[in-house]
Amino acid sequence: MRALYLAIAAASLLTAGSAFAAGIDLSKPYGDKYGCINRNGQEVAADQMLLLTDKELITAASACTFSDKQAQADGSLVVTAKCEAEGEEGQSPTKFIIKRSKKNAKKLVVTDEEGNTMGEVSRCK
């Protein structure tokens, strides 16, 4: 009987984990105005740009490739990445937090691990 309870508890956790992971769907790119314009390569020069995909975060000055994504209980997503900055050699590890905007549930807010907001992005059309 105890094994049955453990199996039910494990199934509940798996279901809950799937629900958290489904909270933020990055299967289609998100970006600000210039991030979406440039999602297929640099088409328009921009001082500020933010593009978020399921594999990377790209800004005007850096490119970060995700190595891990962890869904959190609050529905946010913590992403571990290696970033290359323009004009610098090598990659540095960093984390980002992606969560739904409090102002508009269709938008996502990207913050760095110190809590600094990098920007708000919408699904690219």
Side-chain angles (χ1 to χ4, degrees), residues 95-109:
K95 289 189 179 186
F96 299 102
I97 297 119
I98 303 166
K99 56 187 169 187
R100 296 234 175 258
S101 168
K102 291 179 181 175
K103 298 177 202 166
N104 183 342
K106 291 183 178 184
K107 293 185 176 187
L108 301 176
V109 175

Side-chain angles (χ1 to χ4, degrees), residues 18 35 39 52 61 66 70 80 99 105 108 110 113:
S18 298
R39 71 179 175 262
L52 176 65
F66 301 157
Q70 296 290 321
T80 304
K99 56 187 169 187
L108 301 176
V110 181
E113 57 192 329

Side-chain angles (χ1 to χ4, degrees), residues 3 20 22 30 48 69 80 86 89 92 104 109 112 124:
F20 293 145
Y30 280 78
Q48 293 189 345
K69 292 183 273 196
T80 304
E86 186 177 309
E89 289 190 29
S92 58
N104 183 342
V109 175
D112 64 19
C124 296

